[in-house]
Amino acid sequence: MSKFAKKKDGDLPAVSTASLPDIVFMLLFFFMTVTVMKDSSIMVENTLPNATEIKKLEKKDRVIYVFAGKPTREYESVYGTETRIQLNDKFASVGEVGSYILAERAKKPQEIQNVLTTALKVDKDANMGLISDIKQELRKVNALKVNYTTFEGDAFNNLQ
Amino acid sequence: MPRRKGAPEVNAGSMADIAFLLLIFFLVTTTIETDAGLDRMLPPMEPPEDNVVIKQKNIFTVNINKNGQLLADEALMDIKDLRAAAMEFLDNGGDGSCDFCKGKRDASSSDNPTKAIISLKNDRETKYATYITVQNELVGAYNDLRNRESQRLFNRDFVSMESEYLNPETPSSVREELKDKVKRVQELFPQKLSEAETSSN
């Protein structure tokens, strides 16, 4: 009856860790594919205001970003403390917004050039004068779809 | 001594460690976030061909001054009351042509939700945060009314329908069905929010 001989108790079989690298690699590939490296560093103060009635910006390839706010402390000595516009990696004047939008639009594939959204990421302490100027520029180049990017939260917190 | 075994086997025991290291790096650098915000359409640069005459009673003017104070329809107003006031204006149905409106049917206010226009004006020195709050309240007024009608017609909130419709992961068969519903509700309360050019004084 050696076939049914009782196993010697006491020594648990070791769990095989041979598949551990496979699992880890699977996770690794997942995170590698979803990672988006930041392509531009923000050089302006960018505390967005809060809002509740927000819509998500789907499809990141259809979005052009425009930042505005006071230059951060590093850049204060060079660019002052007035609210500035940042396009890509550099500060820009209001007049450059239009040509920037056109240049970005030309980079996109033909079929989505008409459905682009301009995301305005503006610091909550900015004045509306600058925003109005940006909006005016956007109208000039017919980039009419804008999204005022905000955080989700009670809008009345903005007033404090 | 001659080699008999061929190439020696490489020890793969540390592969897991290396993979872990990479994994942790990507874990830390990943940001899975989507931006969100208030969607708005700017008016086109060239004015429309025909000069449309809009009755003054169909326009609800909201003016924000540089101190963040609000002038809505010629009266000083707190921002907290703006949503209710805008809803009352939109939902008024003054000429009786709107059969779903639940407003006061005040003859001196808007005729029909499709004719009602909210005009938003701001000063150059208005704070952006205040402006966003006001925008949020006005969009909220539209959304509240649309939710009400959507609940009545389809037993479902407009906002949730719209977000499902706009979500690219929704299957297209569901999207087609939602499209008509979303359109229908949007037509009942079209979002006519005009942003006039900023006054400089």
Side-chain angles (χ1 to χ4, degrees):
Chain A
M1 298 301 274
S2 65
K3 242 185 193 173
F4 302 104
K6 220 178 164 191
K7 260 192 192 168
K8 268 191 190 141
D9 47 8
D11 53 336
L12 276 166
V15 178
S16 166
T17 52
S19 56
L20 187 70
D22 300 349
I23 298 165
V24 173
F25 266 118
M26 209 164 69
L27 284 169
L28 174 63
F29 287 139
F30 169 72
F31 281 104
M32 274 178 78
T33 44
V34 298
T35 300
V36 183
M37 297 282 173
K38 260 191 193 165
D39 49 359
S40 60
S41 55
I42 298 174
M43 302 191 291
V44 293
E45 299 274 335
N46 215 252
T47 319
L48 303 175
N50 295 319
T52 48
E53 315 290 330
I54 54 177
K55 285 183 196 160
K56 272 190 189 148
L57 267 178
E58 308 283 1
K59 295 181 186 163
K60 283 202 171 149
D61 55 331
R62 300 186 179 183
V63 181
I64 302 171
Y65 292 97
V66 174
F67 300 93
K70 290 190 176 77
T72 46
R73 197 165 294 164
E74 287 170 68
Y75 298 98
E76 227 169 50
S77 53
V78 186
Y79 295 100
T81 53
E82 269 301 299
T83 309
R84 302 284 299 243
I85 303 168
Q86 184 194 342
L87 305 170
N88 269 345
D89 259 337
K90 53 183 185 292
F91 289 104
S93 65
V94 174
E96 291 168 65
V97 174
S99 53
Y100 168 75
I101 297 286
L102 289 177
E104 287 291 310
R105 190 190 282 164
K107 280 185 207 162
K108 310 274 180 194
Q110 189 95 51
E111 61 271 19
I112 63 166
Q113 285 190 359
N114 294 325
V115 289
L116 296 178
T117 306
T118 312
L120 296 176
K121 289 195 162 188
V122 182
D123 189 74
K124 59 198 278 190
D125 289 325
N127 284 341
M128 275 313 290
L130 184 79
I131 318 298
S132 305
D133 293 342
I134 296 175
K135 271 163 43 180
Q136 216 41 34
E137 284 295 314
L138 293 179
R139 284 174 67 190
K140 274 184 205 160
V141 295
N142 219 28
L144 300 178
K145 213 173 156 201
V146 294
N147 180 291
Y148 301 106
T149 309
T150 58
F151 293 138
E152 184 162 16
D154 188 4
F156 293 108
N157 292 341
N158 294 339
L159 304 176
Q160 286 149 18
Chain B
M1 204 171 134
R3 280 171 65 180
R4 289 191 196 117
K5 278 186 177 173
E9 209 171 298
V10 178
N11 183 13
S14 56
M15 190 161 73
D17 301 347
I18 298 165
F20 261 123
L21 211 76
L22 285 169
L23 174 63
I24 289 164
F25 168 72
F26 280 103
L27 259 171
V28 172
T29 53
T30 303
T31 44
I32 311 178
E33 49 154 295
T34 44
D35 287 328
L38 299 166
D39 267 337
R40 295 247 52 87
M41 285 295 276
L42 297 178
M45 204 60 181
E46 60 273 13
E49 294 282 303
D50 46 341
N51 245 330
V52 192
V53 182
I54 302 163
K55 281 188 215 158
Q56 195 56 46
K57 65 172 186 170
N58 280 329
I59 303 177
F60 183 77
T61 327
V62 180
N63 223 322
I64 322 168
N65 78 356
K66 64 178 176 184
N67 301 323
Q69 289 168 309
L70 216 65
L71 193 72
D73 237 9
E74 318 285 310
L76 201 62
M77 189 180 280
D78 200 60
I79 295 186
K80 288 195 167 62
D81 304 325
L82 179 65
R83 188 185 289 226
M87 278 171 71
E88 195 178 300
F89 165 77
L90 291 170
D91 202 25
N92 181 50
D95 65 355
S97 60
C98 165
D99 51 1
F100 54 87
C101 290
K102 297 197 176 107
K104 289 177 181 164
R105 307 204 179 270
D106 181 1
S108 63
S109 188
S110 78
D111 284 334
N112 192 296
T114 53
K115 286 182 186 166
I117 293 170
I118 296 181
S119 161
L120 179 58
K121 282 182 191 165
N122 58 269
D123 191 90
R124 283 192 74 86
E125 282 180 55
T126 308
K127 279 260 178 299
Y128 178 66
T130 316
Y131 175 78
I132 286 297
T133 310
V134 171
Q135 282 267 8
N136 185 60
E137 289 309 294
L138 293 177
V139 175
Y142 277 106
N143 280 347
D144 283 358
L145 288 170
R146 285 173 170 182
N147 278 345
R148 193 191 75 196
E149 287 313 304
S150 180
Q151 280 289 0
R152 183 174 65 87
L153 294 167
F154 311 114
N155 283 323
R156 198 170 160 197
D157 264 3
F158 173 78
V159 176
S160 78
M161 271 199 326
E162 196 187 30
S163 64
E164 194 181 340
Y165 169 61
L166 292 174
N167 188 351
E169 281 154 31
T170 313
S172 56
S173 57
V174 182
R175 286 240 295 269
E176 277 303 306
E177 193 194 322
L178 282 172
K179 189 181 178 182
D180 294 337
K181 292 182 176 177
V182 169
K183 275 255 166 65
R184 171 110 190 263
V185 180
Q186 276 176 342
E187 273 163 17
L188 294 178
F189 286 103
Q191 213 175 73
K192 293 189 176 174
L193 221 168
S194 131
E195 294 177 57
E197 274 149 59
T198 325
S199 60
S200 48
N201 45 13

